[in-house]
Amino acid sequence: MQQYHCNTTQRSWKKGSILEKLGICTKPTFLKWSSSAMPAGSEPRLYTIDTKFDNVTVRIYQPKGLSTGQRGIIYLYGGAGLFGSIKAYRMLCRYLSRESESVLVCVGQRLAPKHRCPAQIMDCITATEYFLKNASDYGVDPNRIVIAGDSTGAGMVPLVCQHLLTRKDLSKVRAQILLYPNIQTLDYNLPSYQQNRNVPILFTKWTAEFDLRFMNVKLAYLDQVLKGGHVSEEMKMKYKKWIHADHIPDEFKVRGYKPPPPVPFSKELHEMMKLSFDPKHCALLVEDDVVRQLPETFMLTCEYDVLRDDGLLYKKRLEDNGVPVTWHHAKDGFHGIGNESEDAAFPGLCVRGDIVAT
């Protein structure tokens, strides 16, 4: 199943490349279509409701037979802000709702490049605020709501939680669940980016390409960004305390790591990628007084994932600021492992229930 998923994604991306060169559609558009086209059977144990929360499209999964005061999950899907969809994540969301016996809200996001950032984050914030205000209408205890996400969605989860710290009128989020999070776009030369450069399903080059497309930066700058030409020496020194290979434990460097050589800085490119340095868009750059207010966290990282070190760096930031973290590292896992199948999704997360079942 893992090999099938990897091969399918690679084939879709290659086909998308051909269609993009022919001027038919972009690669992200084709990948969104192909992922949403995967068949999925019905789920008789859940009610499924398609609706809108303040004009944001959502799908609600609700286990049948539940009483009031139940747990709630707000799910923010991945896809780099380019090609994720509610339909593509229906199998995973069904699994999480069913196995944790929780009401799950999967939040639809407007996608780049048609809708530029921060449209995606604002959609997630809007839907989350609505659900927190109206949780009882769906049989959910507002004090038992967690926010979860994978990949880019997992990178948005702490951004939503950071925003909610300013909303004293709403119930506090019980926990945040981060599944192989995409948390930063400053350093594409961390150990995991080097070690897993060509490991399916997410290559290092693809990661940077997705980020450029999301920020509407021309792909002609791709090689420059991969080398770090968008980050000035001043910025590197400023954020070294949070984003640097020195903070990655030695056990994660045994498969190889070489410090990147110095590269020329491009002020023009830096300006085009200014979102990379905005704490409202990069949770790793938020000051400590904000981080220490964040909720308890569950984090999943995978050894064969370019984003592994994003998760490790954010885990360290949370722990350094006293935020309780339950961490699981899949030693044979790769990016997107949660989308393999309903049965294989995250058996530890829902069945063991460290956070979700609280």
Side-chain angles (χ1 to χ4, degrees), residues 125-328:
I125 288 174
T126 298
T128 298
E129 289 180 338
Y130 183 96
F131 191 52
L132 287 170
K133 289 180 199 174
N134 301 280
S136 59
D137 292 347
Y138 301 94
V140 173
D141 180 346
N143 295 304
R144 303 179 73 193
I145 294 175
V146 304
I147 307 180
D150 69 290
S151 193
T152 311
M156 291 184 186
V157 169
L159 300 179
V160 174
C161 289
Q162 289 165 197
H163 168 80
L164 292 174
L165 295 175
T166 67
R167 294 296 307 268
K168 305 301 181 182
D169 56 317
L170 298 176
S171 299
K172 290 185 177 180
V173 172
R174 170 66 185 84
Q176 55 180 2
I177 298 176
L178 312 179
L179 310 174
Y180 32 84
N182 183 357
I183 217 91
Q184 61 87 32
T185 55
L186 275 74
D187 192 344
Y188 295 97
N189 284 284
L190 293 167
S192 63
Y193 284 83
Q194 293 186 14
Q195 296 164 4
N196 301 314
R197 177 174 283 111
N198 298 313
V199 174
I201 61 172
L202 184 63
F203 304 142
T204 297
K205 188 174 181 179
W206 286 9
T207 306
E209 180 180 338
F210 292 158
D211 293 336
L212 292 184
R213 288 177 181 271
F214 181 71
M215 289 185 267
N216 201 29
V217 177
K218 293 180 180 178
L219 296 183
Y221 293 100
L222 181 58
D223 288 341
Q224 209 170 345
V225 169
L226 284 168
K227 294 175 182 177
H230 60 304
V231 187
S232 67
E233 287 301 318
E234 180 184 358
M235 284 288 187
K236 289 177 182 177
M237 293 303 298
K238 179 179 179 180
Y239 295 126
K240 183 178 179 180
K241 58 183 176 179
W242 297 328
I243 303 177
H244 197 275
D246 288 350
H247 304 307
I248 304 298
D250 289 341
E251 64 188 279
F252 294 102
K253 298 176 183 176
V254 295
R255 291 198 289 124
Y257 169 69
K258 292 182 179 181
V263 296
F265 169 63
S266 170
K267 187 174 181 180
E268 178 187 17
L269 182 55
H270 175 88
E271 182 62 24
M272 287 187 285
M273 295 191 66
K274 59 185 177 181
L275 284 178
S276 298
F277 313 99
D278 186 345
K280 292 182 179 180
H281 301 281
C282 179
L284 265 172
L285 304 184
V286 176
E287 295 296 330
D288 289 346
D289 60 343
V290 175
V291 176
R292 64 174 60 102
Q293 298 180 64
L294 293 173
E296 181 180 359
T297 301
F298 175 94
M299 183 178 295
L300 171 70
T301 56
C302 298
E303 178 61 28
Y304 299 99
D305 180 8
V306 295
L307 301 182
R308 181 198 68 196
D309 292 350
D310 284 28
L312 294 179
L313 290 174
Y314 193 57
K315 170 180 173 288
K316 184 179 187 303
R317 282 226 64 198
L318 292 170
E319 292 175 335
D320 286 349
N321 284 279
V323 177
V325 178
T326 300
W327 172 52
H328 177 72

Side-chain angles (χ1 to χ4, degrees), residues 13-29:
W13 193 245
K14 289 178 181 178
K15 291 176 181 177
S17 297
I18 296 172
L19 294 175
E20 186 170 73
K21 289 177 181 178
L22 293 174
I24 297 174
C25 69
T26 65
K27 286 190 279 187
T29 298

